[in-house]
Amino acid sequence: MQDIIALVVQAIGGAKASTAVQNNQDPNPGGHIMLGGIAFQLAAVSIYMILAAEFLLRYRLDKPLHTKGGVLPKSFQFDNGVKLMIIGLAFDGVFILIRSIYRTIELTDGWSGRIIETQVYFNVLDGAMIVLAMFTLNFFHPAWLLGKSDSWNEKEPSEADSERANA
């Protein structure tokens, strides 16, 4: 949902800036609206990554936030497919975070700043990050790493749990 909000705010700002340029007016107010959407997106990505890291750390240490009856359940181990998928998501998150930081800094100086006018920054910190994120998601694709969903139902729950515990 936060991505939709960020994209809508960025689109409104972009439309306002574009209209201002067409009417020979100052595009900076639209740029500030876009910057707000981009900063919101950066904050959302950062919060997601922090919460995901906390979840994985708590899961790995088997330290849930709350326990029932004072007994800590022993978490099952991730199989190799899940581990690879988490690694892929971590790389993806880093690529998107780098791009979000770049885009925030890029618009901070407005439409004529040094960063926004330097093509190599855009190519490396925006375009390349998205290309790497796309290739990472294709390489670490959940369908390959987790298997088909209909195969999940073939095993009895107790059999699947024992396999997870042994992994």
Side-chain angles (χ1 to χ4, degrees), residues 35-95:
L35 181 59
I38 291 168
F40 178 76
Q41 190 173 32
L42 174 61
V45 167
S46 299
I47 291 169
Y48 164 77
M49 290 186 66
I50 290 167
L51 292 175
E54 179 196 16
F55 169 80
L56 290 171
L57 182 65
R58 286 182 178 279
Y59 189 88
R60 179 75 174 125
L61 298 175
D62 205 18
K63 302 274 187 195
L65 192 57
H66 299 288
T67 61
K68 293 182 180 181
V71 179
L72 291 174
K74 183 63 183 156
S75 301
F76 66 86
Q77 297 295 316
F78 290 136
D79 63 14
N80 288 336
V82 173
K83 287 177 186 176
L84 287 172
M85 191 178 68
I86 290 171
I87 289 168
L89 288 173
F91 276 113
D92 242 20
V94 169
F95 296 143

Side-chain angles (χ1 to χ4, degrees), residues 1-165:
M1 183 64 174
Q2 56 275 13
D3 275 344
I4 293 171
I5 293 169
L7 290 173
V8 168
V9 171
Q10 290 174 53
I12 290 169
K16 184 173 174 129
S18 175
T19 303
V21 167
Q22 289 174 356
N23 296 330
N24 293 325
Q25 296 175 345
D26 183 18
N28 284 327
H32 294 309
I33 294 170
M34 283 180 68
L35 181 59
I38 291 168
F40 178 76
Q41 190 173 32
L42 174 61
V45 167
S46 299
I47 291 169
Y48 164 77
M49 290 186 66
I50 290 167
L51 292 175
E54 179 196 16
F55 169 80
L56 290 171
L57 182 65
R58 286 182 178 279
Y59 189 88
R60 179 75 174 125
L61 298 175
D62 205 18
K63 302 274 187 195
L65 192 57
H66 299 288
T67 61
K68 293 182 180 181
V71 179
L72 291 174
K74 183 63 183 156
S75 301
F76 66 86
Q77 297 295 316
F78 290 136
D79 63 14
N80 288 336
V82 173
K83 287 177 186 176
L84 287 172
M85 191 178 68
I86 290 171
I87 289 168
L89 288 173
F91 276 113
D92 242 20
V94 169
F95 296 143
I96 298 299
L97 185 65
I98 290 169
R99 179 180 184 255
S100 295
I101 291 168
Y102 163 73
R103 292 186 71 220
T104 303
I105 294 169
E106 175 189 40
L107 266 182
T108 301
D109 289 338
W111 298 106
S112 59
R114 187 175 133 266
I115 295 173
I116 203 169
E117 291 182 348
T118 306
Q119 186 69 32
V120 71
Y121 294 152
F122 176 78
N123 291 344
V124 173
L125 298 172
D126 194 323
M129 291 302 113
I130 292 303
V131 169
L132 288 170
M134 288 186 322
F135 278 112
T136 301
L137 275 180
N138 282 298
F139 187 73
F140 294 100
H141 197 283
W144 297 337
L145 299 173
L146 300 179
K148 302 286 184 195
S149 63
D150 55 343
S151 69
W152 300 345
N153 296 329
E154 292 174 2
K155 297 179 183 177
E156 294 295 319
S158 60
E159 181 184 338
D161 289 342
S162 66
E163 282 183 13
R164 287 185 191 120

